[in-house]
């Protein structure tokens, strides 16, 4: 049995330690902040001792050697390692708030703290922090491109742990399609490969008996199913994905995230996510995530 390796990378403050704990709970042997120079040697050692599941976290503290990681990942795949790369991301505003709340120093603050970044004779710490975050995005761009991106901006630690476990439960040998409902008022998920706006559709929120329900409930589903506009929107999204998903699979994509957004993330987007997931489940490995409902 080939080694299964999960590589966790991402932005500082995005929840990598939370994801690593989820994998440890799931039975993975976990290593935090492994230097990239040791990756191939470490994997070789784990193969020799017949380890089954290993998870490694790397971050920008290894900035100087991060550029070698993409080529290492390709080499591991050529060697038959079952590799999954996860990239945790959050909006810059969210990361600034988290660093401010915890009073932690960003690992790249020293690089971003350049002469001239001063206000009233004191360093403008927020400007330095934003610059450090943007520098980190540049350094990690290649790794992000090769990974499944998970947006942790508006989810709690328990949600992230459950999300990571559900993603890794899906077969690794084929494309996995993730449908995600969300509310535009809370921002577009940064992990979405495609985003469809359904706010122009009839809104059950304005029907008093439907307002407390969700798109998973039969009365809401019946209400939306009776709308010709909803049917047209569903048909257009279904047709688009049916046409392009095979091309993405041929391009060796492991995951595709489709975001469906409405105003509150409760009725229309949830209904369409459930309907689309059911339609594609016989063609692809399909997962659902309801960002706003899961908050409850």
């Amino acid at each position: 049995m080939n080694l299964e390796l999960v590589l966790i990378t991402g932005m500082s403050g995005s929840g990598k330690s939370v994801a690593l704990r989820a994998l440890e709970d799931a039975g993975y042997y976990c290593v935090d902040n492994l230097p990239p120079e040791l990756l191939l040697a470490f994997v070789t050692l784990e193969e020799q001792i017949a380890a089954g599941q290993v998870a490694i976290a790397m971050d920008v503290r290894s900035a100087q050697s991060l550029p070698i990681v993409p080529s290492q990942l390709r080499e591991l795949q050529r060697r038959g390692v079952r590799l999954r790369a996860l990239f945790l991301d959050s909006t810059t505003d969210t990361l600034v708030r988290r660093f401010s709340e915890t009073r932690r120093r960003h690992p790249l603050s020293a690089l971003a703290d350049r002469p001239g970044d001063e206000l009233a004779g004191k360093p403008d710490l927020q400007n330095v922090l934003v610059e450090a975050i943007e520098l980190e995005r540049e350094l990690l761009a290649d790794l992000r491109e090769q990974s499944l991106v998970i947006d942790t901006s508006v989810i709690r630690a328990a949600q992230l742990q459950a999300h990571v476990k559900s993603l890794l439960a899906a077969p690794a040998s084929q494309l996995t399609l993730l449908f995600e409902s969300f509310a535009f008022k809370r921002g577009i998920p940064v992990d979405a490969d495609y985003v469809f706006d359904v706010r122009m559709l009839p809104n059950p929120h304005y029907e008093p008996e439907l307002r407390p329900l969700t798109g998973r409930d039969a009365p809401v589903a019946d209400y939306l199913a009776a709308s010709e506009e909803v049917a047209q929107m569903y048909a257009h999204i279904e047709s688009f994905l049916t046409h392009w998903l095979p091309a993405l699979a041929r391009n060796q994509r492991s995951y595709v995230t489709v975001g469906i957004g409405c105003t509150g993330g409760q009725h229309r987007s949830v209904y369409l996510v459930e309907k689309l997931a059911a339609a594609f489940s016989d063609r692809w490995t399909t997962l659902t995530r309801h960002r706003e409902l899961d908050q409850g």
Side-chain angles (χ1 to χ4, degrees):
M1 182 177 179
N2 292 338
L3 176 72
E4 179 182 347
L5 172 64
V6 178
L7 177 66
I8 299 176
T9 61
M11 301 296 293
S12 301
S14 62
K16 294 187 296 298
S17 59
V18 173
L20 201 62
R21 284 198 299 271
L23 294 174
E24 190 171 31
D25 292 342
Y28 286 75
Y29 176 67
C30 297
V31 179
D32 191 12
N33 196 28
L34 181 75
E37 296 90 340
L38 300 180
L39 177 58
L40 295 180
F42 176 79
V43 170
T44 299
L45 176 62
E46 293 300 305
E47 289 176 321
Q48 290 172 352
I49 64 176
Q53 296 177 312
V54 177
I56 296 173
M58 290 183 182
D59 58 39
V60 80
R61 285 174 289 181
S62 303
Q64 291 185 339
S65 50
L66 277 175
I68 70 174
V69 175
S71 62
Q72 290 179 321
L73 298 183
R74 291 189 290 271
E75 171 61 23
L76 291 175
Q77 289 176 315
R78 283 194 293 269
R79 284 165 47 174
V81 173
R82 293 181 294 141
L83 174 67
R84 303 201 192 204
L86 306 181
F87 187 99
L88 274 59
D89 202 353
S90 292
T91 65
T92 297
D93 288 345
T94 298
L95 295 175
V96 168
R97 174 175 53 78
R98 289 174 181 171
F99 274 99
S100 299
E101 290 173 349
T102 61
R103 298 184 181 277
R104 291 171 51 210
R105 183 175 175 84
H106 192 281
L108 298 181
S109 292
L111 296 178
D113 189 4
R114 302 187 307 272
D117 287 329
E118 296 184 353
L119 291 177
K122 297 182 179 180
D124 183 353
L125 298 181
Q126 180 156 321
N127 284 349
V128 170
L129 178 55
V130 170
E131 290 185 13
I133 291 170
E134 295 310 315
L135 175 59
E136 184 177 25
R137 289 196 191 281
E138 293 179 17
L139 293 172
L140 297 176
D142 288 343
L143 276 174
R144 190 183 195 278
E145 185 67 24
Q146 295 190 26
S147 306
L148 166 65
V149 181
I150 302 176
D151 182 6
T152 69
S153 301
V154 297
I155 62 175
R156 299 187 300 269
Q159 290 176 271
L160 175 58
Q161 289 182 327
H163 190 42
V164 168
K165 290 177 182 179
S166 68
L167 289 169
L168 295 179
S173 59
Q174 57 181 305
L175 182 144
T176 296
L177 185 56
L178 172 63
F179 289 100
E180 178 177 10
S181 68
F182 69 93
F184 271 97
K185 65 183 181 182
R186 300 189 68 201
I188 297 174
V190 299
D191 54 0
D193 297 293
Y194 298 104
V195 173
F196 296 95
D197 183 351
V198 300
R199 286 176 291 182
M200 75 293 293
L201 300 179
N203 192 351
H205 174 81
Y206 296 110
E207 302 295 330
E209 69 278 10
L210 301 180
R211 183 174 301 174
L213 304 179
T214 77
R216 289 170 165 170
D217 295 312
V220 174
D222 292 342
Y223 172 87
L224 292 171
S227 167
E228 182 178 347
E229 291 176 297
V230 174
Q232 289 178 340
M233 177 64 76
Y234 166 80
H236 290 162
I237 298 174
E238 194 274 342
S239 176
F240 176 87
L241 295 175
T242 296
H243 181 82
W244 289 109
L245 285 177
L248 291 172
R250 290 193 298 270
N251 199 37
Q252 307 301 314
R253 286 289 297 272
S254 298
Y255 295 90
V256 174
T257 300
V258 180
I260 310 290
C262 62
T263 305
Q266 178 180 342
H267 297 111
R268 295 164 291 182
S269 60
V270 172
Y271 168 78
L272 284 169
V273 159
E274 294 290 335
K275 187 173 175 64
L276 287 162
F280 281 92
S281 61
D282 61 346
R283 289 174 267 178
W284 309 97
T285 299
T286 303
L287 303 173
T288 62
R289 178 186 177 197
H290 299 294
R291 190 180 74 179
E292 318 311 338
L293 296 189
D294 292 344
Q295 290 288 329

